[in-house]
Amino acid sequence: MTETYRDPNAAINDRVADLLGRMTLEEKVAQLGAIWLTALVQDETFDADAVAETLVNGIGQVTRIGASTGLLANESAQLGNAIQKVLVERTRLGIPTVIHEEGVGGFLHRGATTFPQGLGLAATWNVDLMAEVAEVIRTQMTAVGARHNLSPVLDVARDPRWGRVEETYGESPELCARMGVAYVRALQTDDLANGVVCTGKHFLGYGYSLGGRNQAPVHLGHRELREVYAEPFAAAIREAGLASIMNSYSSIDGVPVAASRAMLTDLLRSELGFEGTVVADYFAVMQLHFNHMTAADPTESAIQSLSAGLDIELPALDCYKHLPTAIQEGRIDESIIDESCARVLAQKFQLGLFENPYVDADSAPDVFDTPDQRALACRAAAEGVILLKNDGVLPLSSSISKVAVIGPHADDPRLLQGDYHYPAHLEIIYQNRSAEMIEAIEALGIEQGLDQLPESGGTFSPGPHFTPHVTPLDGLRAALPGTEIVHAAGCADSGDDASGIEDAVAAAASADVAIVCVGARSGLVADATVGEARDATDLGLPGVQSQLAAQVAATGTPTVVVVISGRVHTLEAEAGAANALLWSILPGEEGGTAIADVLVGVVNPAGRLPVSLPKHVGQIPLHHDMRRRGDRSEFYGSYVDRDTDALYWFGHGLSYTTFEYGEPSVVLGSTAEATTIAVPVANTGHRDGDEIVQLYATDEVASVARPIRELIGFARVAIPAGESRTVTFTIHPSRLAFHGLDMALATEPGTFTFRVGGGSHDPAMREIPVDLTGNTARYDRRSIIVTTAEVS
């Protein structure tokens, strides 16, 4: 008779109960952890007998099939199949594993398509495009058997000193939520058997740490945590069925999230309705006893985390392996292990792994970086280019005779990538290489390009590990075939060597226009100036790049500064000196084509800022939706040495055409019924273009201080020259709810002002004051209804 857990027609709850009842304590604990893929390869071979001995009790997950290896797609798939074969055929219960990887700006795997980094995707304000990108990530992950994606990053980013802002979707809970929901829906699909588990991270408040420092403590009130930082997670849970959550490394009000039942169970599960698995950020459980010091040893760390609701320890079973001893000593009840193990098993059944643990390895390369995928990467990069300033120098004339392309970012493919693109993770391995790590990595095929990889402390060489990348220099040469292109780097992306600036200035002086490509190097190692654990107190361009841009502009040659960076820089000097200023946020493999297409006018720019750009680091935090009294004041709240305005506010971005907003029409609702606002938008210029129509709300009088304005809806709308479109927003009153004095979520009656326009501080915004009548309406975060936008 077939065991119930092996019956694909049985209910998942019944399958879980049957399997859980057959498992030993050691087998249950094994499901609550992971093992590095590199630990399963010895002496350059995969020894199935040795692996069977290592995994005698099974394993919950396998860590990093892409980032820790140099394997090609078919090789990864073959290795994944070999691991699954051992687990399915040579362990007592035949429980398959889940292989996990990252996917912020594309599948983090050799040969996978390199899309723009997360913040670059957010700059498109295009949820449909985000879904297309996520579909490619899903296709590539499933092709190699990776079924758990440690993305998206749903942190709301409001401190640009923090190096990981580039991985997020920006400063607005609404923008983060919309992009995150689109990503999760496309990756998980309606049926996980065809999809990939997504992990929303980092729960909670991780992007607002003390001093903008990675993993530093967080000091936020419970209202702010819920209304701002929890909302993108809540949206992904209620609208897309987000299947996994990763904890933040930080403590909140002194309690590490990895040990906080208030965060991981009471808020996440009871308030937000989360039903999936909670996975540890790497080494977060261990940090309880060597970092936060809330535990004395690994056993106590394991007890604290599991009791808080953290189901799976990643990247390896370092602390949870001590749980059987803790149970024997009566320090934790086995029922808590059963609860987490049941969630892990249920997800494996949902993924269909018991029925289909293997993939077709031979066909895996067919879905890696195809021409269609590269075209999508180019479109994503182009749609995310933000034109911040333009005095008319752009678009470049096709008859221009000579262009100087200058700067360290002009012709370096590595500088088009973010910290969670594949090469950055090989860098951290090779710049921190140990004999044991190198032996394991070499065994997995990286020796194919090892001779091109540096010794410790060197700079990573593209070798065979990059997909083909188009730099801005490449792109401009292709876009302007009849134009003389001269190139001078001028300086490095960091450091104080200014010796090359003289040659760059000479090149600019001889040209009709100068394109100066500058920015930060994203990564996780010492020479990176932005990225994970690469936080900063100075938001200016690293090294002598500002000096380079200033001296080029001083030649009198029309100067276009192109910032290619994941850092939110202070660019007041560059904006003042340049004729045009663009920001392309780590645009990936087709970044150079996208930038060139915008510069020459093949693409009309329509990217918009997903974050506000401050003038000075001393202004931060500075975001569009500060609460009352967070804005400037004539009497109190200003600085003695500068104003409180951003250089460019959230939502800002220019076009090569012009748009005009007509008179809105309103169908008024109440605290219980939806309000609709229809606004006509006309393209009054001579070029086709996309407008990002943005809707902001202000609660004029409330029982607690509310944001001065907050984004509650948007739409990216294509409008041909001379034509108009009408955008109709439907605003459910739950979208206006907030946590009142009693912390209940409610919408109060009263006056609201809605604003529609092309940016959070657009002076031409249309204002729509309304009075919402009715009783105070109670809601919860499970029942908030998103604002919809229809275009006609």
Side-chain angles (χ1 to χ4, degrees), residues 491-517:
C491 64
D493 60 88
S494 61
D496 58 5
D497 183 1
S499 61
I501 293 181
E502 184 178 351
D503 288 342
V505 167
S510 71
D512 299 309
V513 66
I515 311 297
V516 185
C517 300

Side-chain angles (χ1 to χ4, degrees), residues 439-491:
E439 181 180 356
I441 298 300
E442 285 177 335
L444 291 175
I446 210 167
E447 70 274 6
Q448 298 171 39
L450 191 59
D451 59 344
Q452 300 187 38
L453 295 170
E455 294 302 322
S456 179
T459 301
F460 182 74
S461 170
H465 301 289
F466 277 56
T467 55
H469 276 52
V470 181
T471 67
L473 180 61
D474 297 331
L476 282 165
R477 283 173 172 161
L480 297 170
T483 300
E484 181 184 357
I485 306 288
V486 294
H487 170 235
C491 64

